[in-house]
Amino acid sequence: MRDRQLRARDLLRGDLEGEELERAVEEKVVMTTFDKLLNWGRANSCFPLTFGLACCAIEAPIAMVGSPRYDLARFGAEALRASPRQADLIILSGRVSIKMAPVVRRLYDQMLEPKWAISMGACSSSGGMFSNYAVVQGADKFMPIDLHVPGCPPRPEAVLYGFTKLQHKIMGSPDQGWRARYNAFGTEEWARGGPRSEPSAEGAEAYEAARELIRA
């Protein structure tokens, strides 16, 4: 310990030369870009919005915030914000009704940029058991979703695993989705122009732009 302190002092004074200086630089200096450093800070200081929709909203504090074993404090995201203007992460926990969808979208639009959204549970991801006219069949129908966590409710491990996946995406190194792994591009509803078999011109253009972005 004392030896390292002396070497740090000599480095600050400019007394190190030759091989000692090269070794000290290799051990102490880390080279990166400003964007990577900024995204690393964003990934480890998310401000979630205190927001819930249905029964998964009761499970979310147990799974992610309040329990001693599974908590977001280790990721720097325990500072929940009651105002969307102070939050950059929204967790949709529960079913989204048709009447509630515009409210959720307004909250999302009021959040800070850059912002992210997690769809927690089967109901917010795909409608779940509520296959009827009153419930939106997936939150990605009316707002962008960065991550889907399946389950009814999801296990705490699944939620934390999804949060680490979101961190990878924020830092600019997202994990491959199943479409990329299995080369299943073209199966998206928006790419096929909705329920029609032939893609619309806008859908085909957006699909090609997304593929070019993934290839890059």
Side-chain angles (χ1 to χ4, degrees):
M1 185 66 178
R2 178 61 177 168
D3 181 59
R4 282 197 281 179
Q5 291 176 345
L6 293 176
R7 279 203 299 169
R9 183 198 63 185
D10 295 339
L11 178 64
L12 293 175
R13 288 179 177 178
D15 296 336
L16 294 181
E17 295 180 355
E19 294 182 359
E20 291 186 356
L21 178 59
E22 292 181 2
R23 187 169 65 252
V25 169
E26 290 178 358
E27 294 176 354
K28 304 294 183 183
V29 178
V30 177
M31 302 295 291
T32 185
T33 63
F34 178 75
D35 288 338
K36 289 183 179 180
L37 182 63
L38 183 63
N39 291 332
W40 175 83
R42 287 171 175 166
N44 290 277
S45 61
C46 290
F47 286 176
L49 180 67
T50 54
F51 175 77
L53 288 168
C55 41
C56 267
I58 303 173
E59 305 293 337
I62 301 173
M64 299 179 62
V65 182
S67 65
R69 177 173 294 184
Y70 309 105
D71 64 286
L72 285 180
R74 69 189 75 184
F75 303 106
E78 79 280 6
L80 301 176
R81 299 300 178 189
S83 170
R85 293 175 176 83
Q86 298 176 355
D88 58 6
L89 171 63
I90 183 171
I91 302 173
L92 300 181
S93 50
R95 61 191 179 275
V96 185
S97 65
I98 297 293
K99 291 184 177 181
M100 194 65 185
V103 180
V104 177
R105 180 66 200 213
R106 175 175 291 186
L107 290 174
Y108 179 79
D109 292 337
Q110 291 176 347
M111 288 168 56
L112 293 172
E113 292 282 355
K115 53 192 173 186
W116 301 276
I118 294 178
S119 180
M120 174 185 170
C123 292
S124 60
S125 298
S126 61
M129 69 186 78
F130 303 99
S131 180
N132 54 50
Y133 66 93
V135 176
V136 180
Q137 301 302 299
D140 53 355
K141 303 289 185 183
F142 63 90
M143 62 177 285
I145 299 295
D146 296 285
L147 191 79
H148 295 271
V149 181
C152 184
R155 287 281 304 170
E157 296 90 342
V159 179
L160 290 185
Y161 181 71
F163 188 79
T164 57
K165 293 286 187 180
L166 180 64
Q167 284 185 314
H168 294 167
K169 183 175 183 179
I170 295 173
M171 288 188 287
S173 57
D175 297 329
Q176 281 190 336
W178 68 271
R179 286 193 173 92
R181 291 198 303 269
Y182 300 109
N183 194 22
F185 294 103
T187 60
E188 303 92 338
E189 182 178 350
W190 59 268
R192 292 184 284 108
R196 297 181 300 169
S197 58
E198 291 294 330
S200 63
E202 296 81 5
E205 183 179 355
Y207 170 67
E208 291 299 331
R211 289 212 65 178
E212 291 296 331
L213 183 61
I214 292 174
R215 289 196 192 104

